[in-house]
Amino acid sequence: GAGVSQSPSNKVTEKGKDVELRCDPISGHTALYWYRQSLGQGLEFLIYFQGNSAPDKSGLPSDRFSAERTGGSVSTLTIQRTQQEDSAVYLCASSRLTSGATYEQYFGPGTRLTVT
Amino acid sequence: GNSVTQMEGPVTLSEEAFLTINCTYTATGYPSLFWYVQYPGEGLQLLLKATKADDKGSNKGFEATYRKETTSFHLGKGSVQVSDSAVYFCALSDQGSGTYKYIFGTGTRLKVLA
């Protein structure tokens, strides 16, 4: 079946502009995660969605970052007023279920964001 | 808080050499443990996992055993190939947070020479 897809694969933007990154999880996966992979910080958790529950935003680095998940499926990560330190690869992952069991996460190919 | 420590890379080996990549963790409770691999230009792929103490995960000739007493999940392979060249990430699933988010190690780059 189809895996996790992300778009765009690459995004170059000027400092101060807003960007939107999209994630399509695997069909039927109720849990969705965003991570950031950068040279200085490694792989770090950003935000988690599970079904209709309130998202866990504890990993978002600043209030310039926000995310939503519509209809329990597609998710969009928005970065406002981008800064050069936002340059990184943004990874989306989905998982079948988390309550009471641990299911592995499936990762998308990532969006490479470059802020100039 | 929970954390994962991996050995520093890069690790350079000749083909058919024995590989060990060390991974230790700090966690409350009993997390599940994972190894992911990232081949050049590709995304993260699950290599293997273990969900409880003494479980052994294995795949593609790689193995790792969940050792609760030493809080470790070292990755090994008896005979590496050039195609194993990649970055390997150890991760734990944070059960305590209720999100099961991953906490990753810093990654270990493996280069296998023919």
Side-chain angles (χ1 to χ4, degrees), chain B residues 54-92:
Chain B
D54 300 325
D55 265 2
K56 178 189 283 187
S58 61
N59 186 25
K60 299 182 181 179
F62 291 88
E63 291 184 341
T65 301
Y66 189 140
R67 299 288 187 201
K68 183 172 176 293
E69 62 276 14
T70 54
T71 61
S72 65
F73 193 54
H74 304 321
L75 181 69
K77 186 174 185 182
S79 175
V80 294
Q81 306 299 312
V82 172
S83 57
D84 294 327
S85 298
V87 181
Y88 293 81
F89 292 92
C90 184
L92 67 79

Side-chain angles (χ1 to χ4, degrees), chain A residues 71-85:
Chain A
S73 182
V74 171
S75 177
T76 303
L77 177 69
T78 301
I79 309 173
Q80 295 179 310
R81 306 181 302 282
T82 52
Q83 303 295 311
Q84 288 186 328
E85 62 262 27

